[in-house]
Amino acid sequence: MSDQSFTFYRPSPQLAPYVRYYWTLRSSEASSALTFPIGCPQIIFHRKTTFFIPELSTSQPRLTISGQVNFPAHIRTTGELDTIVAVFRPHGLSMFIGPMLHDFYNMEISGLDIADREIDRLDYEIGNCKDTPTCVSIIDSFLLARLKTMQTGKHSTMMALNHRRLDATVTRILNTPDTRMDELHELSCLGKKQFERLFKSHIGMNPKEYSRIARFQKSLHLMQRHLDSPIDYAEISHSCGYSDQSHFIREFKLFSGHTPTELLSVTTPYSDLFTNPLL
């Protein structure tokens, strides 16, 4: 992409357990980019043109709830962009829209289709906002108010407990993506089926598939850190818990569309899941 401007913003401290960061993109030209499964749901606000996703044969709605995906995408734009994105922690978005993330799996859903008047009003405010920093502030204030409501509602105790359970299991997956599934449900203090239902409804895919996404993102991160020296793919394969290098290459190609060496000639490896652009 050319002639574009990225800016990153921190969420309010109260939102940090749920929202990783906000980013904005302004661009005056048609553009394209290869994207990968990142393991984090997002809410996307398009104030001008939107992203077209050829793999889904669709353009994102003006206000998009983007769930977990398991495929690479070649997103395109056809004109001027003014886009704001809230990037949530893997289990964070459910705190604001409820445990319905499985409905957004491999989907780009309009936020106006979930019958939420507050989100409808947020969409209107962002569409009529004059500048980007004010838009980010409006989104942050909306999420703070929604969080307060969820934390004081009649199901708040169970939601807080489920968040702690998922926080523990997601942390384990990110640290050790090849953790066995029985260890994860034992860590959550839930039975296997109950844990899998909870995980899928709050994160958007089953824990085994999510672990594969995390392992892929970890391999991207290791490649990203060693761009100035020869990349040891066998070491990356071992560090990420793949059974062997062939397994690593197959999984990498599934989620990126390229082998690791091919990707280096297409784009610079970058892990959205393991990189914090605000640090």
Side-chain angles (χ1 to χ4, degrees), residues 12-234:
S12 295
Q14 303 96 311
L15 292 173
Y18 313 99
V19 181
R20 294 183 64 202
Y21 53 83
Y22 309 107
W23 62 266
T24 67
L25 170 61
R26 297 176 67 92
S27 177
S28 60
E29 298 180 356
S31 55
S32 62
L34 174 62
T35 65
F36 311 127
I38 70 170
C40 296
Q42 304 170 85
I43 298 181
I44 303 168
F45 303 83
H46 294 291
R47 286 156 50 81
K48 295 186 179 176
T49 58
T50 68
F51 296 142
F52 177 74
I53 304 174
E55 286 78 7
L56 297 176
S57 300
T58 188
S59 292
Q60 289 183 335
R62 186 179 68 227
L63 191 166
T64 298
I65 299 177
S66 183
Q68 300 287 356
V69 301
N70 64 359
F71 61 89
H74 299 76
I75 62 172
R76 300 199 302 260
T77 66
T78 57
E80 191 171 2
L81 275 177
D82 186 355
T83 297
I84 304 165
V85 181
V87 181
F88 292 82
R89 297 191 182 279
H91 52 305
L93 182 55
S94 64
M95 198 69 178
F96 303 94
I97 66 172
M100 55 188 294
L101 270 293
H102 53 280
D103 291 338
F104 301 96
Y105 178 66
N106 282 346
M107 300 284 285
E108 306 287 325
I109 302 294
S110 172
L112 306 182
D113 288 342
I114 65 173
D116 187 316
R117 290 183 179 179
E118 292 180 354
I119 290 180
D120 294 352
R121 186 163 59 250
L122 174 64
D123 174 63
Y124 175 82
E125 291 181 13
I126 297 301
N128 289 276
C129 180
K130 292 184 178 180
D131 63 88
T132 301
T134 301
C135 288
V136 173
S137 180
I138 289 172
I139 296 166
D140 196 74
S141 296
F142 167 83
L143 293 174
L144 278 171
R146 179 62 67 96
L147 179 63
K148 183 178 180 180
T149 299
M150 300 297 271
Q151 288 178 330
T152 56
K154 63 179 181 179
H155 300 300
S156 59
T157 301
M158 181 56 68
M159 290 185 65
L161 175 59
N162 286 337
H163 181 82
R164 289 195 297 272
R165 285 168 166 160
L166 290 168
D167 190 62
T169 55
V170 167
T171 298
R172 174 70 65 84
I173 289 171
L174 297 185
N175 289 335
T176 314
D178 60 334
T179 300
R180 298 197 322 270
M181 292 301 106
D182 58 339
E183 293 181 31
L184 293 177
H185 74 74
E186 288 173 6
L187 182 62
S188 72
C189 299
L190 294 170
K192 181 176 183 294
K193 290 185 178 179
Q194 189 179 7
F195 166 65
E196 289 180 350
R197 284 196 300 269
L198 178 73
F199 195 100
K200 189 173 181 180
S201 63
H202 285 261
I203 293 178
M205 60 174 48
N206 67 57
K208 185 174 182 179
E209 184 172 28
Y210 188 81
S211 296
R212 293 170 65 198
I213 299 295
R215 187 160 48 188
F216 162 70
Q217 281 285 331
K218 185 175 182 180
S219 70
L220 274 179
H221 184 58
L222 293 176
M223 290 175 65
Q224 174 186 337
R225 291 173 54 190
H226 296 92
L227 291 176
D228 296 331
S229 58
I231 298 176
D232 187 339
Y233 294 112

